[in-house]
Amino acid sequence: MKVSEGLVQSDPINRLLKLQLTTLIVTVLIVFFLQGKLASIAYLYGGSIALANTFLQKWHLFVAAKYAGADAGKNLGRAYRCVAERWALTIVMFAIGYSVLTPALMLIVGFIVVQIVVLFGNLKRA
């Protein structure tokens, strides 16, 4: 059984990904002109952590549609697994970023800015 975009209501998460990516690109350019190359690389990496979380969530959406279908128990299990994997991904990516990138503050700021898009990017939903 193959799950396509038509079987999953992926428009909201696709819109969110586009908004996050646009925000990240614009703000990375601003950081680059204001604070330089190293700060913009750290900022880009921090924002990429938030983007990776959203991509992981989208992937779980399709996997849940494929394997869980209308089974509420399986869907709930997939939701818990998604949350756990997103936490693990975030922790690992932050650990790598802190060990490699020097301006750690910009890493955190990049993550926060792109994550704020998640909070305010879906205001039109009822």
Side-chain angles (χ1 to χ4, degrees):
M1 177 178 164
K2 184 177 179 183
V3 178
S4 67
E5 292 266 342
L7 297 176
V8 176
Q9 212 173 15
S10 61
D11 287 340
I13 201 160
N14 288 338
R15 196 173 329 112
L16 178 62
L17 281 167
K18 288 175 189 174
L19 188 58
Q20 281 182 305
L21 187 60
T22 304
T23 302
L24 181 60
I25 290 169
V26 169
T27 54
V28 162
L29 290 173
I30 292 169
V31 170
F32 178 75
F33 288 118
L34 293 178
Q35 296 193 2
K37 182 179 175 181
L38 290 177
S40 63
I41 291 171
Y43 187 94
L44 176 65
Y45 185 80
S48 297
I49 296 171
L51 268 173
N53 275 311
T54 307
F55 275 116
L56 185 61
Q57 185 176 1
K58 181 179 179 178
W59 178 76
H60 275 285
L61 178 70
F62 283 99
V63 171
K66 183 176 180 180
Y67 294 112
D71 186 351
K74 288 182 181 178
N75 274 313
L76 185 60
R78 179 56 63 179
Y80 283 134
R81 181 175 175 177
C82 178
V83 169
E85 287 180 10
R86 288 178 70 198
W87 271 95
L89 178 70
T90 302
I91 291 168
V92 168
M93 287 184 77
F94 266 115
I96 292 168
Y98 282 140
S99 65
V100 174
L101 301 169
T102 51
L105 178 63
M106 292 312 294
L107 187 140
I108 295 170
V109 171
F111 176 78
I112 290 171
V113 167
V114 177
Q115 197 64 29
I116 285 174
V117 173
V118 174
L119 294 175
F120 297 111
N122 289 326
L123 292 178
K124 293 181 181 178
R125 294 183 70 185

